[in-house]
Structures are given as structure tokens and as C-alpha cells.
Amino acid sequence: MRVAVLTVSTRGAAGERTDTSGDAIVAWAAGHGWQVAARDVVADDTAAIARQLVRWADGGAADLILTTGGTGLTATDRTPEATRAVIEREAPGIAEYLRATAWSAVPRAALSRGVAGVRGTALIVNLPGSIGGVTDGLAALEAFIEHAAELLGGKTEH
């Protein structure tokens, strides 16, 4: 599987913050033997986020695009809006599952507004920006992510 990692952080894009959540996603992908096909850091800007998602999805760069950051309640958290603007079909069960698996241990997971959906053959999933939120989200994805990628790649036998 080819994975692209988009970190959404104004401070990260300015070089003022280390991208630890992006690093965690890269390590997770590598641990599965998957290729990290692309990685970038963009500011909390709806247009910039949407442009990168479209570039990777439409260019066939990745089977799975994981974003980290910009999913909270602050005025600058715009990742869900950017993602909704570019996906062709939403996959609400994925986002619901990510939140539900974290709630019992981290009630603040309910504050995440992350979404998931499909553009072309790429699955786009929003993860929180905290290292704990990313780690929890990646653990939850373990249950189905390979099967989702297979379905989007055309392998529809069950």
C-alpha cells in the first residue's frame, strides 16, 4: 500500500514545530512494509489542504492519504472542511469508529471533527494532531485499512 502523510499545522509549516505526529504515521506505515509515497506539511488553510489532497488523490500518488492536525474546535481547525470539499464519497463509519474506539480512554476524543472519504481510488482519513490521537487512530485503522484499500483498488471479492 502507498501512504501519503499530510500534516496540517501553521507552526509546523513555518518550521517552528517538529512534526512528531507525521513521524508517527511514517513509522506506522514502515512497520507494515508500506511505502510512504508522499509527505508534506501545510498551514491551517482550507485551500492549501484541499490542493494537496487533490494533487495526491488525482495524481494517483497514494492509496491511503492520512492527515494529522486541524480536526479540533478552534477557529483555525479547517481539515474536515477541506476534506469534505474534495472527497467524492464520505465514509462516515471510519471517522465514527476512530472516535468511538478512543472515547473510553480519552473522552476528549469526542471533540475531534475528523472525517474520512474517497476521492478516485484514494481513501482520505483525518487524524488528530496530537501524538496520542494519531497513535490511537492508527491502532483503530488496523482493523480494516488493508481491506478498504483492496476494495478501492478493485479487489471486491469477500
Side-chain angles (χ1 to χ4, degrees):
M1 179 165 17
R2 297 167 302 138
V3 180
V5 181
L6 182 62
T7 301
V8 180
S9 168
T10 299
R11 289 180 47 215
E16 299 171 359
R17 180 176 172 237
T18 302
D19 182 16
T20 56
S21 58
D23 291 343
I25 296 170
V26 167
W28 174 79
H32 287 83
W34 300 331
Q35 175 190 358
V36 176
R39 183 176 180 182
D40 200 3
V41 179
V42 298
D44 290 285
D45 175 76
T46 305
I49 299 164
R51 269 193 307 274
Q52 190 59 277
L53 295 175
V54 167
R55 186 176 301 125
W56 287 343
D58 292 359
D63 307 301
L64 173 63
I65 301 171
L66 296 174
T67 70
T68 175
T71 63
L73 298 177
T74 73
T76 60
D77 289 327
R78 307 304 298 168
T79 303
E81 288 75 18
T83 303
R84 277 195 184 97
V86 303
I87 58 175
E88 298 161 341
R89 294 176 291 137
E90 195 162 348
I94 294 173
E96 292 164 8
Y97 184 73
L98 293 177
R99 280 185 285 275
T101 58
W103 280 338
S104 62
V106 184
R108 290 182 183 179
L111 301 178
S112 175
R113 300 178 312 108
V115 300
V118 175
R119 181 176 179 97
T121 59
L123 177 61
I124 301 170
V125 179
N126 299 157
L127 297 172
S130 70
I131 191 71
V134 165
T135 303
D136 290 346
L138 294 173
L141 289 175
E142 296 279 341
F144 56 80
I145 201 65
E146 286 184 278
H147 184 62
E150 288 172 352
L151 291 171
L152 289 169
K155 184 178 176 187
T156 57
E157 302 85 32
H158 296 290

